[in-house]
Amino acid sequence: MYQRIFVPVDDSDTSNMALDEACKLAKAFGSNLRLVHVVDLAQFGWGGTEFLDATELQKSIKQAGEQVLGQAGDRARALGVTPDCKILESWGDKIAAVLSDEASAWGADLIVMGTHGLGGLMHLLMGSVAEGLLKVADMPVLLVRNPGD
């Protein structure tokens, strides 16, 4: 069935719910699990940061991303799955495209991710990575929604 399950993670409860679901599937199918976290380094790479050391700031962003990914990896291992973990870097790219490209390059059979279910004005202003991924991914996407959102 699904032999390669790709899971974008962040530090939210919703992401943890999706990770839990992906781990259940990975255990049931004996699948490989890849956890990824995207760090957007462009947000501090230009304009408005004259008073900040952009290199140090980007290093801090990467370290924070590694911490998020490490916690997700620990969670997966506690659930009985040994994941492959990878930080993805974005330089202002659409996060959905970064995720889709990496999932394809890795040969994912399934993407499992959380969705925060933003609606109305927040959705209009922020968009949705999950929605964007649904539009560009060339493999099935399982969205896990947090009922509390």
Side-chain angles (χ1 to χ4, degrees):
M1 188 85 205
Y2 298 115
Q3 295 304 304
R4 296 172 73 82
I5 301 174
F6 184 88
V7 187
V9 297
D10 59 26
D11 61 352
S12 69
D13 290 339
T14 302
S15 176
N16 286 333
M17 291 176 68
L19 176 56
D20 292 352
E21 192 65 29
C23 287
K24 289 178 198 172
L25 291 169
K27 282 181 76 172
F29 298 128
S31 307
N32 292 318
L33 189 70
R34 172 167 278 185
L35 308 182
V36 298
H37 179 76
V38 180
V39 292
D40 186 358
L41 300 174
Q43 62 185 323
F44 298 108
W46 57 273
T49 59
E50 303 84 32
F51 304 107
L52 301 172
D53 182 346
T55 303
E56 283 301 310
L57 198 50
Q58 289 171 350
K59 183 178 174 183
S60 293
I61 291 168
K62 286 182 185 180
Q63 288 173 339
E66 291 285 354
Q67 184 175 2
V68 168
L69 196 56
Q71 290 170 347
D74 290 345
R75 185 179 186 102
R77 283 184 285 280
L79 293 169
V81 179
T82 302
D84 169 46
C85 299
K86 184 174 182 182
I87 286 285
L88 303 178
E89 294 181 6
S90 170
W91 288 91
D93 305 307
K94 290 192 180 271
I95 302 300
V98 171
L99 292 170
S100 178
D101 290 348
E102 181 65 24
S104 292
W106 184 63
D109 303 307
L110 176 69
I111 299 172
V112 178
M113 73 180 294
T115 180
H116 296 281
L118 296 175
L121 184 58
M122 287 302 291
H123 178 73
L124 181 64
L125 293 173
M126 294 178 62
S128 166
V129 174
E131 184 178 357
L133 193 54
L134 284 172
K135 291 178 181 178
V136 298
D138 58 359
M139 74 274 309
V141 178
L142 172 63
L143 298 180
V144 177
R145 185 159 186 248
N146 184 344
D149 280 350

